Amino acid sequence: MKHFRHLALSVLLALSLMTTALASEVPVSLVVENLNGQQRIVKTYELPPGTDPETLKEPSFTYDGFTYTWAYTTKDEHTFLETKTVTEAVTVETGKKDLNTVLEQLAPSIPYDDGEFSGELALDHTTITTEAAGYATKSGKVTATKTIGPLDRNDMSYVPATTVKDGKTLTLANVEWQVIGTDLVGDVLAPSSYQAIATYSASTSYQVATGYVSTAEYKGTVAASGIESITYTVVYVGTETVPETPQPTEPVKQGGPLFGGNMASIGGTLLMIVLLVALAGGGIWLYLHRKNVYIYVPGDKPRDYKLIAKFRAEPQRPEVDITGLDPYPESIIAVEIKRPLAKKLLGQTFTVHHRSADYAYTVLQDRPGDWHEFDPSEEKEEPV
């Protein structure tokens, strides 16, 4: 009888695993106990955030002479915290190539949020670089003035027709004569020496910057936190079932109806046990072969994804083939590897067989799972 009770308990646990496997909610333990005179069955689940605990409650059931009814459910959240270093480049435009002007356009820090990690990034002043945004051609005039003298007369032959300034030839534009000495001729002073003030000019063109573009880097450590998993403990309290009083029967000889009835009862019990074990085996098989790679495409809203397919991948063959999907995704595809498989594949290469090419990437995280996106319409990976 004791061995039979152990078998029945094993069947009960297997049936529970089968039922919850079909609903993707698998208890990690099942305990039958008597606590302070109270008969109980305790089921423990470890599930991802977002699971509705109401789906864990089961209707009343009978086991080993007790009728069990849901009493209460407890919840224990397991949180996580991850950090990483991030660098982001920021570009600003200014009218001057002046550090103070550039710094006026750059904030001391900027917020960072990629939907998973968030924090503040600080400006790294050593990374600031500035260059011209573009150039325009402008025209102007180059001039030069020369004083020529003293001369004995105001004669243009003394004045050169051209001169050179900064490597450019300028032509004579104007001459102003000045008397710098006189002599007495009779009773009158007459000019005796001169000097020429010669002005030269030439047209020129030059390039000027239309504006300046400065690039700077912001750096910092950002964090991601949240609930990694939740442990739910579901408790059922049992009430002893009072058996019905059997009706007296007349004894019969061996081989009569009573003997035949006992044989039928034993056969029915054995058949029931066989069926229960078969169902339990089927449930365990479903649990062990449940899908562990989900395929998504973008939904109608930003950061909204729609599940289109589920696959089963083994650690020995880290790959899925999506070439047979209908309708077939032609743009961005997101691949989510569930945590149990991601733990086994951490640091290994996972391959997605696409109609255009085989896309391979490295599994980088296992909490709560590994998520990777790629766009076959833009990226052409080399076949692996």
Side-chain angles (χ1 to χ4, degrees):
M1 185 65 180
K2 182 177 180 181
H3 293 293
F4 180 78
R5 292 186 59 181
H6 282 300
L7 175 61
L9 179 58
S10 300
V11 170
L12 176 62
L13 175 58
L15 286 175
S16 176
L17 289 174
M18 180 192 70
T19 303
T20 52
L22 295 175
S24 298
E25 297 166 356
V26 181
V28 295
S29 71
L30 185 153
V31 177
V32 179
E33 63 181 7
N34 188 291
L35 182 63
N36 298 327
Q38 186 183 65
Q39 190 68 19
R40 311 192 322 166
I41 288 182
V42 181
K43 292 186 178 183
T44 303
Y45 301 82
E46 186 172 345
L47 301 173
T51 302
D52 184 2
E54 290 296 316
T55 62
L56 305 177
K57 295 167 56 175
E58 301 177 30
S60 298
F61 58 90
T62 300
Y63 168 68
D64 199 20
F66 289 86
T67 299
Y68 290 90
T69 304
W70 174 84
Y72 60 88
T73 301
T74 62
K75 176 182 178 182
D76 183 18
E77 296 182 346
H78 307 289
T79 60
F80 70 91
L81 175 64
E82 295 183 13
T83 60
K84 67 177 181 179
T85 301
V86 173
T87 299
E88 278 203 348
V90 174
T91 300
V92 295
E93 295 186 5
T94 57
K96 298 180 180 180
K97 190 178 181 180
D98 177 72
L99 181 59
N100 291 330
T101 302
V102 174
L103 290 175
E104 289 177 359
Q105 301 297 319
L106 293 170
S109 63
I110 59 173
Y112 177 87
D113 190 347
D114 64 0
E116 183 179 3
F117 288 82
S118 62
E120 288 285 327
L121 306 181
L123 174 63
D124 184 353
H125 296 77
T126 63
T127 64
I128 299 175
T129 58
T130 303
E131 59 183 16
Y135 292 92
T137 301
K138 288 192 174 183
S139 59
K141 182 178 288 187
V142 179
T143 62
T145 302
K146 296 183 66 175
T147 301
I148 305 171
L151 304 173
D152 60 349
R153 63 183 183 278
N154 54 353
D155 188 344
M156 289 294 295
S157 63
Y158 289 125
V159 181
T162 61
T163 190
V164 176
K165 181 180 181 181
D166 298 332
K168 187 173 182 62
T169 300
L170 284 64
T171 58
L172 182 64
N174 184 52
V175 177
E176 179 185 347
W177 291 97
Q178 296 178 348
V179 177
I180 60 174
T182 59
D183 285 333
L184 184 62
V185 179
D187 296 333
V188 179
L189 289 174
S192 62
S193 63
Y194 300 85
Q195 71 177 10
I197 308 299
T199 302
Y200 298 85
S201 67
S203 298
T204 185
S205 62
Y206 56 94
Q207 298 286 317
V208 295
T210 58
Y212 296 91
V213 176
S214 298
T215 302
E217 292 183 352
Y218 287 79
K219 301 178 180 180
T221 300
V222 294
S225 61
I227 301 174
E228 178 182 10
S229 63
I230 302 175
T231 298
Y232 291 100
T233 303
V234 185
V235 178
Y236 300 86
V237 175
T239 303
E240 188 173 5
T241 303
V242 179
E244 295 182 0
T245 304
Q247 297 296 326
T249 57
E250 295 183 1
V252 297
K253 297 181 181 180
Q254 184 174 355
L258 182 57
F259 182 79
N262 287 338
M263 290 298 294
S265 176
I266 294 173
T269 300
L270 292 175
L271 178 60
M272 180 62 68
I273 292 175
V274 171
L275 290 175
L276 290 177
V277 171
L279 289 174
I284 294 173
W285 186 92
L286 288 174
Y287 170 65
L288 294 177
H289 291 79
R290 59 181 176 171
K291 309 297 186 183
N292 52 15
V293 179
Y294 289 10
I295 306 298
Y296 301 84
V297 295
D300 299 329
K301 300 179 180 179
R303 299 189 181 280
D304 179 30
Y305 289 85
K306 179 171 63 177
L307 177 66
I308 63 170
K310 298 180 181 180
F311 292 90
R312 172 75 184 179
E314 300 296 339
Q316 298 81 7
R317 296 187 63 187
E319 60 182 24
V320 293
D321 186 347
I322 65 171
T323 57
L325 293 181
D326 185 23
Y328 193 75
E330 298 293 346
S331 60
I332 296 176
I333 298 172
V335 181
E336 179 187 16
I337 301 177
K338 292 300 183 178
R339 184 182 181 189
L341 179 60
K343 279 187 173 181
K344 298 177 181 179
L345 297 180
L346 192 62
Q348 299 186 37
T349 299
F350 191 84
T351 303
V352 180
H353 297 289
H354 190 269
R355 289 181 183 177
S356 59
D358 287 349
Y359 188 87
Y361 64 93
T362 301
V363 179
L364 298 177
Q365 65 178 17
D366 62 350
R367 185 171 59 219
D370 186 77
W371 180 278
H372 190 84
E373 298 180 17
F374 64 97
D375 190 345
S377 64
E378 296 181 357
E379 302 182 24
K380 297 298 183 181
E381 300 291 333
E382 296 182 359
V384 294

